[in-house]
Amino acid sequence: MEKLLEIKNLHAQIDGKEILKGIDLTVNYGEIHAIMGPNGSGKSTLSNVLAGREGYEVTEGEVIYKGRNLLELEPEERAREGIFMAFQYPVEIPGVNNSYFLKAALNAKLKHEGKPEIDAMDFLTLVRDRMKIVEMDDKFMNRGVNEGFSGGEKKRNEILQMAVLEPTLAILDETDSGLDIDALRIVAEGVNKLRSPERSVIMVTHYQRLLDYIVPDFVHVLSAGQIIKSGDKSLALELEEKGYGWLLGEDEAA
Amino acid sequence: MSTVEHYRRVFSDAEMVGKDIDWLKAEREQALADFEEKGFPTARNEDWKYTRVNPIEKKAWGWSGKTCVGLDPEDLNDYVFERKNSHVLVFVNGWFQPQLSTRHTLPEGVKLVSLAAQIADSADELRPHLGKVAENRNGFMALNTAFSSDGAYLHVAQDVALDKPVQLVFIATHQSDPVFTNTRNLVVLERGAQAQVVETYGYIGGEPENFTNAITEAVVAGGARLYHNIAQRESEKAYHVSTVAATVAKDGHFEQSAIAMGGRLMRTDINVALNEPGAHATLNGLYLPHKRQHMDYHTFIDHAAPHCTSEEVYRGVLDGAGRGVFNGKVLVREGAVQTNADQSNKNLLLSKQAEIDTKPQLEIFNDDVKCSHGATIGQLDPLHVFYLRSRGLDEAQARSMLTYAFANEVVNRIKLEPLRDRMSMAILDRMPGGEELKKLV
């Protein structure tokens, strides 16, 4: 299988504090990887480093994406190359219209791919179609980005953006946190609809329940900035049953 | 030659309108004497602490005569919207230009003429109001009163609503010698009358180093509603000093949106007196200095009667080495119980060199009032910028989109839709990547 993403010995820090302490992970095209771990294990740091957020300093190691050094790319270049991170806490941006923001994002990607910009009618048709996937109402499009959205609406808006931008690598950063069971189902269905041999997903989550809806090919357990165990979906079930303490030292288990 | 000698000579040579009208002549001479006494404001004056006017003072501004202007109405398209659906009065270098203007049939009871025409026709009609709303508080105002000869005069009779908006367009063109224009506008709404007025200041050809010294006086009688707008889009080499003074009577409503984009140095004072119970003022403002522009808004809302309300929303977007000043004074006089006054001033600094001095100033002289004010100074939220970039927008585009959103909070408060659209587009024109954004919004 062809490699989409290869993370080698990745070390990263925030404010001088080392969070990632040597991550190795390979994601092939079409695969879904779940990254699980207790709070503070570095899950969100990994997501943010991949998306290119400022303030996360990579001190060692490399990340190869589509055969290129990912870490050299600006966040927008990563996005145009097909990386999409669904935020754990999607920000509210009052006054920036949801619809024109999304259109700008799509056009940036199309332009990067050497394709013509989408016209207003086609865009509307596309967005309406994708909104059905996440069961979002039209009225959300003319509001500010996430402005006044409930927690579940924000997450659905992330998945809508993903469905419109059709990324090659989707990173879901604790997308299940704060979701009730209905919203979780909608979000998961949105992700499942996007499953394809050309697309890979990294799901970062604390809980197993998301994996009931989006079944991963691989499960990795992250602890103290390192992947301490990898396996298939049964690993997640085992974790659910035994808790993280099962894999961690006694102190942490307590 | 001293400043005083210079302006006295300009005064005696100037071809002012209405030189033979005794009361007008006396007022002008008094104003010139006031100017000689006050001079141009200095930094010692608290109200002018952050705005140095030396560049204006240093130049020997001369009288702007009536010159022939080779312009067509289409040349003004940047500044005029919907000519078919509004009354447009165009002034070039201070003088009314009927050939560039459009006046549709006016409803009965509405008079819309140039000030010069009104002075020639019947100056006495102006006398009860001219110079009564705006006193000569400083040297600039005194100069205006001494020299003003043209501008717009709008009078709306009792209970008449002027349905089409009035656009007053003041254009500067390049002139070989430095000239100043002392535009004077007077708007009188009788009881229950309504009107919408837009003052646009702009330029055509080159970047004139003109000096606009303008005053607008507005009388809003009982139950009348005036929607007043200012689009200050002068050349970035121009000097613009102006005052809008309004009095609002019982249950009257004065609502204004002021947007400043142009000028090398701008100072605008907005003084609204809520003189009788139930009067209301809304003041919206947006200043966008960039490069080396300096923009100063001083607003003053005088709650002189009980049960009056005011709402003020001013925002600044400061880029380059741009500098902004906001001073928002709200005075609640003794006896003005049940006053409700809100003021907010938010500023966005886009560069390290940009600077803002903001001063909310509440002076309250009795109990039983509800007053609030708040001033903030901030930068774009890095997380917002990252969010947009993480979706593929480049940094400049992301910043422009966020800046535009910030500015639009004020633009969206403009009641007049075509003006609102114009202002949005004009703001985008000044932003990096604005062309791209224009296609989206």
Side-chain angles (χ1 to χ4, degrees):
Chain A
M1 274 214 263
E2 200 188 339
K3 283 176 192 168
L4 173 61
L5 181 78
E6 203 176 356
I7 302 173
K8 294 179 192 165
N9 190 32
L10 184 67
H11 291 249
Q13 58 183 37
I14 312 170
D15 299 330
K17 187 175 179 236
E18 189 167 54
I19 309 286
L20 300 184
K21 299 169 181 171
I23 303 268
D24 290 284
L25 178 68
T26 298
V27 177
N28 295 317
Y29 278 92
E31 291 176 352
I32 297 195
H33 291 246
I35 295 182
M36 303 186 67
N39 290 331
S41 57
K43 300 190 301 290
S44 280
T45 299
L46 179 60
S47 305
N48 282 298
V49 166
L50 294 178
R53 185 160 164 192
E54 272 172 39
Y56 293 79
E57 195 195 343
V58 173
T59 50
E60 211 181 320
E62 58 178 350
V63 180
I64 308 296
Y65 172 76
K66 291 184 179 173
R68 295 174 64 183
N69 178 359
L70 181 74
L71 302 176
E72 277 178 352
L73 302 180
E74 297 291 335
E76 58 268 34
E77 293 171 317
R78 299 180 194 200
R80 293 169 195 165
E81 281 290 336
I83 289 184
F84 180 95
M85 177 172 81
F87 282 55
Q88 181 178 6
Y89 303 109
V91 290
E92 290 195 30
I93 313 183
V96 172
N97 178 284
N98 220 5
S99 171
Y100 75 62
F101 155 59
L102 192 50
K103 194 172 165 196
L106 180 59
N107 277 335
K109 186 162 186 259
L110 291 170
K111 196 175 162 191
H112 178 71
E113 290 166 354
K115 294 174 185 163
E117 294 189 350
I118 191 163
D119 73 36
M121 283 309 292
D122 289 347
F123 177 71
L124 203 64
T125 310
L126 174 72
V127 169
R128 289 224 167 107
D129 178 63
R130 301 301 145 94
M131 283 176 91
K132 278 187 217 143
I133 299 179
V134 288
E135 299 179 23
M136 255 170 93
D137 194 275
D138 262 16
K139 67 175 190 230
F140 287 105
M141 289 314 287
N142 287 316
R143 301 216 334 225
V145 174
N146 294 323
E147 191 179 359
F149 287 24
S150 72
E153 286 162 352
K154 284 179 186 169
K155 296 290 171 82
R156 274 147 70 181
N157 198 27
E158 295 289 289
I159 303 304
L160 169 69
Q161 292 172 17
M162 187 173 95
V164 169
L165 297 173
E166 299 187 322
T168 314
L169 175 64
I171 303 160
L172 310 179
D173 187 12
E174 305 217 18
T175 293
D176 53 332
S177 69
L179 289 187
D180 62 32
I181 204 74
D182 288 330
L184 184 67
R185 178 187 52 79
I186 292 167
V187 163
E189 274 174 24
V191 176
N192 284 329
K193 286 215 171 85
L194 290 165
R195 281 188 99 145
S196 98
E198 289 83 42
R199 186 169 294 132
S200 308
V201 178
I202 295 176
M203 276 190 292
V204 169
T205 181
H206 187 87
Y207 301 104
Q208 195 271 334
R209 67 170 189 170
L210 179 64
L211 310 188
D212 289 339
Y213 295 89
I214 308 170
V215 180
D217 300 301
F218 301 95
V219 174
H220 311 275
V221 180
L222 193 62
S223 173
Q226 287 183 318
I227 290 176
I228 55 167
K229 195 169 177 66
S230 296
D232 62 14
K233 64 185 175 190
S234 63
L235 176 58
L237 293 169
E238 214 170 342
L239 271 175
E240 173 85 347
E241 197 183 314
K242 299 178 180 169
Y244 285 110
W246 162 58
L247 288 172
L248 308 175
E250 269 180 9
D251 289 353
E252 283 163 285
Chain B
M1 200 189 303
S2 75
T3 302
V4 166
E5 285 166 5
H6 168 74
Y7 287 104
R8 193 150 276 280
R9 203 173 76 174
V10 176
F11 187 77
S12 61
D13 294 347
E15 296 143 7
M16 281 178 279
V17 177
K19 269 188 152 178
D20 52 345
I21 298 164
D22 290 342
W23 67 266
L24 192 57
K25 199 173 152 197
E27 279 190 7
R28 283 172 174 160
E29 276 168 5
Q30 179 59 49
L32 188 67
D34 284 350
F35 169 72
E36 288 172 2
E37 191 201 317
K38 292 180 201 301
F40 287 105
T42 66
R44 283 194 302 278
N45 181 336
E46 183 67 24
D47 277 346
W48 293 82
K49 194 172 162 186
Y50 299 109
T51 296
R52 306 289 165 91
V53 300
N54 316 41
I56 298 175
E57 189 171 359
K58 272 192 299 198
K59 279 205 169 124
W61 301 98
W63 175 253
S64 171
K66 282 189 187 177
T67 45
C68 178
V69 286
L71 294 175
D72 294 318
E74 295 75 52
D75 296 331
L76 300 157
N77 287 350
D78 271 357
Y79 300 113
V80 179
F81 55 84
E82 294 193 356
R83 215 178 249 274
K84 279 184 188 148
N85 199 29
S86 52
H87 307 285
V88 181
L89 267 63
V90 176
F91 299 80
V92 177
N93 299 324
W95 296 101
F96 178 55
Q97 308 291 330
Q99 79 285 4
L100 300 175
S101 303
T102 305
R103 269 178 296 183
H104 304 277
T105 310
L106 293 161
E108 200 176 327
V110 177
K111 181 184 260 185
L112 175 61
V113 293
S114 74
L115 192 78
Q118 183 61 42
I119 290 171
D121 185 35
S122 165
D124 286 352
E125 189 180 322
L126 301 168
R127 198 172 176 183
H129 301 299
L130 201 65
K132 302 297 190 293
V133 185
E135 293 164 28
N136 297 328
R137 287 175 182 230
N138 59 51
F140 289 111
M141 296 178 79
L143 262 191
N144 178 288
T145 303
F147 285 92
S148 56
S149 280
D150 211 351
Y153 172 51
L154 171 65
H155 184 274
V156 185
Q158 186 173 338
D159 295 326
V160 175
L162 181 53
D163 53 342
K164 293 184 174 74
V166 174
Q167 298 185 58
L168 308 175
V169 183
F170 304 95
I171 297 294
T173 63
H174 177 76
Q175 310 234 52
S176 43
D177 297 318
V179 295
F180 68 151
T181 54
N182 295 280
T183 295
R184 187 87 176 209
N185 302 307
L186 176 62
V187 177
V188 180
L189 301 192
E190 300 290 0
R191 288 203 319 198
Q194 280 192 39
Q196 303 178 78
V197 176
V198 182
E199 291 181 26
T200 298
Y201 295 86
Y203 66 100
I204 287 177
E207 278 205 295
E209 292 179 51
N210 59 296
F211 170 28
T212 297
N213 183 38
I215 295 179
T216 295
E217 292 177 280
V219 179
V220 180
R225 299 179 81 85
L226 176 61
Y227 297 89
H228 185 259
N229 303 274
I230 313 170
Q232 193 277 93
R233 300 171 64 188
E234 303 246 25
S235 124
E236 292 194 12
K237 289 181 178 161
Y239 302 95
H240 179 104
V241 178
S242 59
T243 295
V244 177
T247 56
V248 189
K250 190 173 190 310
D251 298 326
H253 184 100
F254 177 79
E255 182 162 342
Q256 184 188 60
S257 296
I259 295 188
M261 286 179 248
R264 162 78 184 82
L265 170 63
M266 178 204 94
R267 161 67 178 248
T268 294
D269 286 63
I270 291 154
N271 305 323
V272 184
L274 303 175
N275 286 336
E276 292 176 10
H280 173 84
T282 293
L283 301 184
N284 306 315
L286 176 66
Y287 40 97
L288 304 134
H290 66 177
K291 295 175 186 168
R292 299 188 56 79
Q293 289 179 298
H294 178 108
M295 296 177 178
D296 176 350
Y297 273 113
H298 266 61
T299 67
F300 173 36
I301 301 175
D302 186 352
H303 280 267
H307 300 280
C308 292
T309 50
S310 67
E311 185 189 10
E312 187 170 9
V313 176
Y314 263 73
R315 286 193 171 198
V317 175
L318 303 106
D319 202 358
R323 185 144 187 221
V325 179
F326 173 76
N327 189 108
K329 182 172 170 180
V330 175
L331 170 65
V332 180
R333 290 184 192 264
E334 209 177 315
V337 293
Q338 296 275 305
T339 289
N340 200 330
D342 286 324
Q343 183 191 80
S344 142
N345 174 234
K346 293 184 178 174
N347 296 282
L348 181 60
L349 294 178
L350 295 174
S351 76
K352 282 199 167 68
Q353 293 81 37
E355 203 178 319
I356 173 74
D357 291 288
T358 172
K359 184 177 169 194
Q361 200 182 343
L362 254 65
E363 294 176 9
I364 302 171
F365 293 97
N366 55 255
D367 298 332
D368 192 18
V369 300
K370 212 176 131 205
C371 296
S372 69
H373 68 87
T376 63
I377 301 168
Q379 294 163 349
L380 290 175
D381 186 332
L383 188 56
H384 289 182
V385 177
F386 174 66
Y387 188 82
L388 300 186
R389 291 177 75 192
S390 79
R391 299 301 182 247
L393 277 65
D394 64 40
E395 190 174 0
Q397 200 184 2
R399 290 176 65 88
S400 289
M401 203 177 257
L402 293 167
T403 304
Y404 175 70
F406 179 87
N408 242 3
E409 292 284 314
V410 174
V411 176
N412 285 336
R413 295 172 67 88
I414 299 174
K415 287 278 192 306
L416 200 53
E417 192 183 341
L419 177 66
R420 201 162 63 220
D421 294 344
R422 276 301 174 93
M423 291 298 102
S424 286
M425 293 302 126
I427 289 167
L428 286 172
D429 278 337
R430 290 161 55 96
M431 288 183 178
E435 279 303 313
E436 289 292 308
L437 272 177
K438 269 166 121 174
K439 288 191 282 184
L440 295 166
V441 301

